Amino acid sequence: MCAQSLEPLKSFQARAIIEELRKGTVPVDYVPFFTVGRENWLTFIEDDLDKYIAEGGAKVRFLSGDYGDGKTHFMSVIRHISLQKGFAVSFVVLTREVPIHKFEAVYQTIVKQLRGRYDGLGIRNLLEDYINESEKMLIQENGDLSTEKLSEISNEMRSLPGMDINFANGVIALLKNRFQPLGEREEQDERDNAREILFHWFEGGKVAKKDLKPFQIFEVINKTNSKNLLNALIAFLRHVGYKGLILLMDELETVVGQAKSVRSAAYENVRLLIDNTEQAGYLHIFFSIIPDVLESEKGFKSYDALWSRVRSIGESKRLNYRGVLIDLHRTPLKTAELVELGKTLRTIHGVSYRWETEERITDDLLEQICKNQKKMGVLSEVRLFVKQVIRVLDMGEQGESTFDDIDLAAQMVQSQEEMEQEKVEHLQPKWDA
């Protein structure tokens, strides 16, 4: 996958990208600009998507790398590729607000972060898009609802392979809510409230069972039925033209710093998601981790039910590009690839601040930054490289322009200090026990 052309980039867009990069993140819409290297991993991931997941397979992979190795960016690349190939994607960052030991919170985020070819994010927008498309089939030329067609759609929805009856009835209720004429004593406010209850249920919110009964929905979403509802979501996505569902679960490593009870609950939910793939199709789940999750006594080893499933991960001394473990730390970007990334940053910085970057920040200077990192044994840290290049570009734009003007060693020390502080903040316990 090659980096995308930078030609259409406007000054404000470029500056927004630079500001995000200063904070250590890449804006979602601009991921293709920064995709260099690691072609082997991407080649085999694409092969899985095309020839296995899209054909009904299911799989879990773990994306391992130290802080700064580019795990989040790599997952963003997977998201971009998956969307291009016609999959729906949900990218979940596991945080205090989305703790993986509370499965309902994770499910809510999965459906709220769902992205596809419709506008916006979330299952609500997906359903709205489906309802709007259904109008062409359901409304006759005279403006009346075709009850025959509605019945046909309802029967088809309920009979989809993998569909859960509650999910199907919820979709059908939304169609009726939109297209059936108001009853004799029914007010529009009642119809609007009913629609909001349905959307809230689809989003995994708490809804009283008595409020769901009129729609023939008899279960609230919980850990017990989550597998059925995830399968139903995939069945619905397939029905409306998607090839499957890709789940990206970022920052699982923060579990290691939690209390034992929280870790156990979290690892149980990881096991549950792995089990889901064994009874599902058209599903690929990626978890990002650091090596400690596999190696430390507070990692997966501390929970037998999970460790028995994943203990062989990472045991091989040879890289297996089709294996369960995607090891970014053992496959760092090469110097030439980092230089290409540096050139991209240089171009964006120039567009952002309207200056001629190449006159002051040469290719040789970018290579020297790589050599310094290699000398220090941290060449693999992409985030460190990005921070250094942006810092050097800032200095260049302000008039410093040669090796003598810019103290690269001092720049790296400053960038490393920032990285260490970010790492401490990133890995410290954040969730409630």
Side-chain angles (χ1 to χ4, degrees):
M1 184 179 175
C2 299
Q4 187 172 303
S5 170
L6 295 166
E7 286 183 7
L9 205 60
K10 302 285 195 301
S11 176
F12 175 79
Q13 294 171 312
R15 186 169 295 203
I17 292 171
I18 293 294
E19 293 304 326
E20 285 298 308
L21 290 169
R22 290 188 204 281
K23 295 183 284 187
T25 59
V26 176
V28 173
D29 295 335
Y30 302 105
V31 164
F33 293 156
F34 303 97
T35 304
V36 294
R38 291 176 173 140
E39 284 85 0
N40 279 348
W41 291 120
L42 293 173
T43 296
F44 286 99
I45 288 169
E46 289 194 55
D47 183 70
D48 270 346
L49 293 175
D50 290 332
K51 298 175 183 175
Y52 185 59
I53 306 302
E55 297 297 325
K59 190 169 184 176
V60 172
R61 299 189 81 179
F62 293 89
L63 177 64
S64 178
D66 285 333
Y67 185 78
D69 280 347
K71 297 188 298 297
T72 299
H73 175 69
F74 194 84
M75 293 185 91
S76 297
V77 174
I78 295 171
R79 170 172 52 188
H80 179 79
I81 291 171
S82 301
L83 288 168
Q84 280 193 323
K85 289 182 176 294
F87 291 88
V89 182
S90 184
F91 194 128
V92 176
V93 181
L94 301 169
T95 63
R96 183 188 181 93
E97 288 71 33
V98 190
I100 195 167
H101 68 282
K102 296 181 179 178
F103 195 88
E104 289 82 356
V106 175
Y107 182 87
Q108 289 168 8
T109 308
I110 287 172
V111 295
K112 286 183 179 178
Q113 292 298 317
L114 196 65
R115 182 184 291 265
R117 57 178 176 266
Y118 51 89
D119 292 333
L121 280 176
I123 194 169
R124 182 183 293 240
N125 286 316
L126 169 69
L127 291 166
E128 287 276 19
D129 187 68
Y130 171 71
I131 293 166
N132 292 335
E133 288 295 315
S134 299
E135 184 172 5
K136 302 167 188 174
M137 296 181 286
L138 289 172
I139 301 302
Q140 302 174 96
E141 289 184 8
N142 63 2
D144 292 340
L145 171 67
S146 170
T147 54
E148 182 180 338
K149 192 64 180 176
L150 179 58
S151 177
E152 183 183 319
I153 290 174
S154 300
N155 291 334
E156 183 182 18
M157 184 68 62
R158 293 187 178 108
S159 63
L160 291 173
M163 179 53 71
D164 175 85
I165 189 63
N166 295 287
F167 193 106
N169 288 345
V171 175
I172 294 159
L174 282 171
L175 291 174
K176 291 179 177 178
N177 179 281
R178 171 72 69 85
F179 299 116
Q180 278 187 340
L182 290 172
E184 189 175 336
R185 296 183 179 180
E186 186 181 11
E187 298 291 335
Q188 185 60 47
D189 284 351
E190 296 175 62
R191 185 68 63 92
D192 294 343
N193 289 337
R195 183 170 63 253
E196 190 56 37
I197 288 170
L198 286 164
F199 280 137
H200 195 56
W201 180 81
F202 275 108
E203 291 171 335
K206 292 183 178 180
V207 184
K209 286 189 176 182
K210 64 179 179 63
D211 292 331
L212 296 170
K213 195 172 180 180
F215 314 117
Q216 294 184 293
I217 298 174
F218 302 105
E219 290 187 26
V220 293
I221 294 171
N222 55 48
K223 183 175 177 177
T224 305
N225 61 28
S226 63
K227 179 171 64 179
N228 291 338
L229 290 166
L230 192 60
N231 287 341
L233 173 60
I234 295 169
F236 179 74
L237 288 167
R238 293 276 303 159
H239 180 62
V240 298
Y242 291 91
K243 291 182 179 178
L245 175 63
I246 311 302
L247 294 184
L248 302 160
M249 314 291 281
D250 198 12
E251 300 188 11
L252 179 60
E253 64 267 15
T254 47
V255 171
V256 175
Q258 308 309 309
K260 184 177 180 180
S261 60
V262 174
R263 288 202 312 271
S264 295
Y267 294 150
E268 170 60 17
N269 287 336
V270 173
R271 186 196 65 79
L272 177 65
L273 283 165
I274 292 173
D275 287 350
N276 280 352
T277 63
E278 295 181 356
Q279 301 172 44
Y282 309 100
L283 172 66
H284 202 331
I285 304 177
F286 294 85
F287 291 98
S288 82
I289 59 174
I290 59 174
D292 267 5
V293 174
L294 298 177
E295 297 166 3
S296 82
E297 295 306 314
K298 291 184 178 182
F300 290 164
K301 291 179 182 178
S302 67
Y303 194 70
D304 289 343
L306 175 60
W307 186 238
S308 64
R309 307 293 302 280
V310 301
R311 66 188 314 144
S312 63
I313 296 175
E315 285 184 353
S316 174
K317 292 182 180 179
R318 297 187 63 180
L319 288 170
N320 178 4
Y321 290 100
R322 289 202 184 277
V324 176
L325 186 68
I326 300 170
D327 197 332
L328 296 188
H329 193 64
R330 290 175 63 191
T331 52
L333 296 185
K334 300 178 179 67
T335 296
E337 293 165 344
L338 284 171
V339 170
E340 282 303 309
L341 176 59
K343 290 178 183 178
T344 299
L345 294 170
R346 184 174 65 189
T347 300
I348 293 173
H349 199 282
V351 173
S352 175
Y353 300 105
R354 299 180 178 86
W355 69 291
E356 294 298 324
T357 53
E358 291 183 41
E359 292 180 5
R360 297 176 186 171
I361 310 302
T362 64
D363 292 358
D364 288 342
L365 183 53
L366 296 175
E367 287 181 17
Q368 188 61 40
I369 293 172
C370 291
K371 287 178 182 176
N372 281 6
Q373 280 198 206
K374 190 172 184 178
K375 190 187 300 180
M376 296 290 292
V378 290
L379 184 63
S380 66
E381 294 187 10
V382 182
R383 186 174 296 192
L384 176 60
F385 176 77
V386 170
K387 279 185 171 293
Q388 286 193 86
V389 172
I390 290 178
R391 189 186 296 276
V392 167
L393 284 163
D394 286 342
M395 295 299 98
E397 189 252 339
Q398 294 165 42
E400 299 182 21
S401 58
T402 69
F403 290 144
D404 294 331
D405 291 334
I406 300 174
D407 186 339
L408 292 180
Q411 297 291 347
M412 186 162 75
V413 169
Q414 284 182 284
S415 297
Q416 282 182 308
E417 288 174 352
E418 284 182 15
M419 288 266 295
E420 282 303 313
Q421 181 59 36
E422 289 174 2
K423 184 176 181 179
V424 168
E425 293 173 0
H426 175 73
L427 294 178
Q428 68 184 1
K430 299 175 184 175
W431 302 342
D432 297 324

